[in-house]
Amino acid sequence: MIDITQFPESDANWSEDHWKQFIDFLVESGLATYGQICSAALGQLNPPQVGTGTTNIVKHNYPHRKVWQNVKAWFYERTGKCEDCGTRLDLQTDHVIPREEIGTEADKLENFTLRCRRCNVIRRPSHKQGGVLHLTTAAALMWILLTRQPQTYQEFKRMCRAYGMTMADIRFQEAWALAIWLNREGKYEIE
Ligand SMILES: [Zn+2]
């Protein structure tokens, strides 16, 4: 079994080789198969559903029946990467200038860009701490649980706070479910 306890303390310092070995760890631990991991990545690689989502948002600024044509032309012009971090995974459309500032004028295609979910969250004023985190919250919760293996919920919560998470406790309580499920199968130690 791969000893991930020897890996760098912070995920920000993990090399590509550490992440590669971590995939092997997830498979060896029986948490997911290689096929399932690839399926998750492929699902996130699939471009966002602008045909319904964005088309609906911008429709009042374009001639009826020409909306999708305009959205599609805009969409194909993009690089297909997150404007901020460059990933191709988990992309969403996002206003450049928010609607709160310029109203319905914001809903024109030239005011849209593609960002990944994580970078989108960081930009929201309600998530001022977002930029501190290297992973998305969901990914970081699982990273802490699986690499640190805290044996009590309180310890897990403390680790999440130390990592820089500022959201409500309920997110930690939800994530702790995996520890309980794995514990029931003898794959995770709880005090
Ligand atoms: Zn990004």
Side-chain angles (χ1 to χ4, degrees), residues 2-26 143 147:
I2 297 145
D3 187 8
I4 55 168
T5 61
Q6 300 303 310
F7 286 16
E9 184 108 354
S10 166
D11 61 289
N13 297 326
W14 279 27
S15 66
E16 282 291 278
D17 193 56
H18 288 122
W19 289 111
K20 190 164 182 283
Q21 288 188 60
F22 191 58
I23 292 176
D24 289 332
F25 167 83
L26 292 174
W143 183 85
T147 63

Side-chain angles (χ1 to χ4, degrees), residues 85-157:
C85 75
T87 183
R88 289 191 183 278
L89 299 174
D90 211 7
L91 294 181
Q92 305 177 320
T93 57
D94 190 26
H95 289 95
V96 177
I97 305 168
R99 204 187 275 137
E100 297 80 62
E101 286 176 29
I102 53 172
T104 52
E105 271 297 291
D107 297 335
K108 288 187 172 165
L109 287 165
E110 55 268 30
N111 189 42
F112 277 85
T113 191
L114 293 178
R115 278 198 184 82
C116 73
R117 183 183 308 273
R118 172 183 162 275
C119 291
N120 254 342
V121 167
I122 291 168
R123 282 169 53 87
R124 277 179 219 139
S126 58
H127 283 78
K128 285 231 162 62
Q129 294 292 318
V132 176
L133 305 184
H134 176 67
L135 300 166
T136 61
T137 300
L141 285 164
M142 293 299 98
W143 183 85
I144 292 167
L145 194 80
L146 297 171
T147 63
R148 299 294 126 89
Q149 308 245 336
Q151 294 186 7
T152 64
Y153 168 72
Q154 286 307 324
E155 198 184 349
F156 175 55
K157 181 178 143 183

Side-chain angles (χ1 to χ4, degrees), residues 47-77 93 109:
Q49 297 185 343
V50 293
T52 45
T54 312
T55 301
N56 208 28
I57 294 170
V58 304
K59 67 181 176 199
H60 57 85
N61 279 315
Y62 296 88
H64 188 57
R65 295 191 174 282
K66 293 268 170 128
V67 189
W68 170 235
Q69 199 177 308
N70 279 279
V71 171
K72 194 165 70 168
W74 168 84
F75 198 43
Y76 288 2
E77 278 281 304
T93 57
L109 287 165

